[in-house]
C-alpha cells in the first residue's frame, strides 16, 4: 500500500547549512534507497529519499527552491503529505561493500550502511564541498568500522573529491560492490573508477519527477523510468545510458545539459 497519507512532523533537526531532517510516523515498509513524493500543502509535491526507514521514517532536505525552502520551514506538529515509498532500492551485496555518499546524497545511502548487521563488512566514503555540508558522519560511524571523509576545500578529511578518495580506497581493499548516491557528475566519474578497479556498483539517479509511480514519463532516461525502474540502477545498466552524466530533462520535458 503506498497511497497518500498526511503525517504530523514529530522531530526536526538541522544537519548543516541549509539541510534539515524531518521525521514522522508512517506504518509502511521502506527499503534503503527508496523515495517518497512529499507534498507541502499549498506549494508543491517533490521527490525525497528516505533518510530514516525504521519505525520513525525521515527525509533530509537541502534548500534549493520554493518547495524545499517551504519543507525546511515546516515546524514540529505541522502536517505534510507522503506518497510512497517508490522505486527500486539498494540490494545488500554479499561480502564487503563500500557505500559512497556525496552532498545530500549521503542521506539516501545512510539506510544502506545501516542495513548491514555486521559493521565490519560495510566501509563508507562521505564527501562534501566543505565540512559544514558534511552530514551524518557520526551516524555512519555507529554503523561502520571504517568511515573516511573528503572535502573539496580540505576543511576536513581527505582534501579532494570523494571520487579520488574512493579511487584510493579501491586500490587498498577489495569490495564485492559499491553503493552510491550523489550529484550525477560525481556518479559519472565514480563509475569510471569502478570500471578501472573492476567493481560492480549500484547507483541512485535523479530525474525530474511528477507522478513518481511510473505513469507520466517525465523521469525517463534512455527509455528507463527512474521512478519505477530505478532510482537505483546497476553500474552496467547506467554505463549503457547515453544521457547519463551529459543531459537531463527540465520541468517542461526539454533536454538540457547537466
Ligand atoms: C529520487 C529523488 C530523490 C531525491 N532525494 C532528495 C533528498 O533526499 N533530499 C533533497 O534535498 N533533495 C532530494 N531530491 C531533489 C529534490 O527533489 C529537488 O531538489 C526538489 O524537487 C527541488 O524543488 P524546489 O521547488 O525546492 O526547487 P526548484 O527551484 O523547483 O528546482 C530546483 C532544481 O531541483 C530539481 N527539481 C525540481 N523539482 C523537481 C522534481 N519534481 N523532481 C526532481 N527534481 C526536481 C531541478 O533540478 C531543479 O532545477 C531528490 C530527487 C529525486 C528525483
Ligand atoms: S515521474 Fe512519472 S514516470 Fe517517473
Amino acid at each position: 500500500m503506498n497511497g497518500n497519507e498526511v503525517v504530523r512532523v514529530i522531530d526536526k533537526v538541522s544537519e548543516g547549512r541549509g539541510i534539515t531532517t524531518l521525521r514522522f510516523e508512517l506504518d509502511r515498509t521502506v527499503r534503503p534507497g527508496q523515495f517518497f513524493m512529499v507534498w507541502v500543502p499549498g506549494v508543491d509535491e517533490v521527490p525525497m529519499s528516505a533518510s530514516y526507514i525504521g519505525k520513525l521514517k525521515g527525509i533530509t532536505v537541502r534548500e534549493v527552491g520554493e518547495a524545499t525552502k517551504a519543507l525546511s520551514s515546516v515546524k514540529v506538529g505541522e502536517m505534510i503529505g507522503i506518497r510512497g515509498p517508490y522505486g527500486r532500492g539498494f540490494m545488500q551485496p554479499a561480502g564487503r561493500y563500500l557505500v559512497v555518499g556525496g552532498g545530500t546524497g549521503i542521506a539516501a545511502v545512510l539506510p544502506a550502511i545501516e542495513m548491514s548487521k555486521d559493521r565490519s563488512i560495510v566501509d563508507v566514503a562521505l564527501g562534501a564541498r566543505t565540512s559544514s555540508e558534511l552530514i551524518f558522519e557520526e551516524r555512519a560511524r555507529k554503523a561502520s568500522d571504517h568511515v573516511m571523509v573528503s572535502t573539496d576545500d580540505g576543511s576536513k578529511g581527505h582534501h579532494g573529491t570523494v571520487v579520488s578518495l574512493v579511487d584510493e580506497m579501491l586500490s587498498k581493499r577489495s569490495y564485492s560492490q559499491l553503493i552510491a548516491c550523489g550529484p550525477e557528475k560525481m556518479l559519472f566519474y565514480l563509475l569510471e573508477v569502478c570500471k578501472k578497479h573492476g567493481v560492480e556498483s549500484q547507483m541512485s539517479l535523479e530525474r525530474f519527477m511528477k507522478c513518481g509511480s511510473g505513469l507520466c514519463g517525465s523521469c525517463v532516461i534512455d527509455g528507463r523510468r527512474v521512478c519505477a525502474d530505478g532510482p537505483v540502477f546497476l553500474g552496467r545498466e547506467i554505463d549503457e545510458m547515453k544521457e547519463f552524466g551529459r543531459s537531463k530533462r527540465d520541468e517542461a520535458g526539454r533536454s538540457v545539459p547537466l
Side-chain angles (χ1 to χ4, degrees):
M1 146 76 181
N2 55 15
N4 203 354
E5 199 164 315
V6 176
V7 298
R8 190 176 299 283
V9 171
I10 59 174
D11 182 39
K12 180 177 180 181
V13 177
S14 170
E15 307 287 0
R17 203 168 55 195
I19 307 172
T20 307
T21 294
L22 301 176
R23 297 210 290 167
F24 45 85
E25 278 180 7
L26 184 75
D27 190 17
R28 290 181 201 167
T29 303
V30 182
R31 292 198 310 278
Q34 288 191 301
F35 69 95
F36 301 113
M37 292 302 290
V38 181
W39 174 58
V40 200
V43 186
D44 202 355
E45 194 188 37
V46 287
M48 286 287 143
S49 303
S51 59
Y52 287 89
I53 62 171
K55 187 172 171 353
L56 217 53
K57 310 293 187 287
I59 52 168
T60 300
V61 186
R62 179 194 201 95
E63 289 178 35
V64 291
E66 198 187 3
T68 46
K69 283 200 176 97
L71 251 183
S72 308
S73 315
V74 169
K75 296 185 181 65
V76 170
E78 291 182 347
M79 313 297 277
I80 54 174
I82 298 287
R83 279 199 289 133
Y86 290 116
R88 178 167 76 159
F90 296 111
M91 299 297 290
Q92 182 164 359
R96 186 164 56 224
Y97 61 104
L98 175 60
V99 178
V100 185
T104 348
I106 296 171
V109 294
L110 240 298
I113 301 169
E114 291 168 343
M115 77 181 163
S116 173
K117 291 195 170 50
D118 179 354
R119 47 183 292 132
S120 70
I121 62 157
V122 51
D123 287 5
V124 181
L126 306 178
R129 283 182 296 195
T130 186
S131 58
S132 61
E133 294 178 8
L134 195 65
I135 56 171
F136 292 139
E137 183 188 343
E138 285 316 306
R139 195 176 150 202
R141 289 192 189 282
K142 284 192 184 130
S144 162
D145 286 339
H146 194 63
V147 178
M148 302 288 286
V149 301
S150 71
T151 48
D152 296 355
D153 66 359
S155 50
K156 190 163 189 188
H158 169 89
H159 187 173
T161 67
V162 73
V163 176
S164 60
L165 172 63
V166 170
D167 195 8
E168 275 182 29
M169 292 174 83
L170 294 183
S171 309
K172 290 184 184 150
R173 214 168 183 187
S174 66
Y175 297 96
S176 59
Q177 232 182 63
L178 177 146
I179 281 176
C181 183
E184 194 159 311
K185 285 285 178 196
M186 170 201 125
L187 297 180
F188 181 85
Y189 292 110
L190 203 55
L191 185 60
E192 293 305 308
V193 166
C194 287
K195 286 195 285 183
K196 174 177 142 190
H197 292 277
V199 179
E200 180 54 284
S201 57
Q202 303 176 46
M203 295 187 177
S204 179
L205 303 187
E206 279 189 15
R207 279 296 179 271
F208 200 92
M209 291 186 183
K210 289 182 181 165
C211 70
S213 54
L215 299 173
C216 72
S218 76
C219 66
V220 168
I221 173 167
D222 289 275
R224 308 289 301 270
R225 297 161 308 169
V226 173
C227 68
D229 303 323
V232 175
F233 293 96
L234 294 176
R236 59 173 175 270
E237 296 173 313
I238 296 173
D239 203 25
E240 291 173 357
M241 297 175 178
K242 294 185 180 57
E243 293 167 41
F244 174 69
R246 296 182 183 88
S247 63
K248 61 176 187 174
R249 283 172 200 280
D250 66 11
E251 193 174 354
R254 284 181 298 251
S255 179
V256 291
L258 260 184

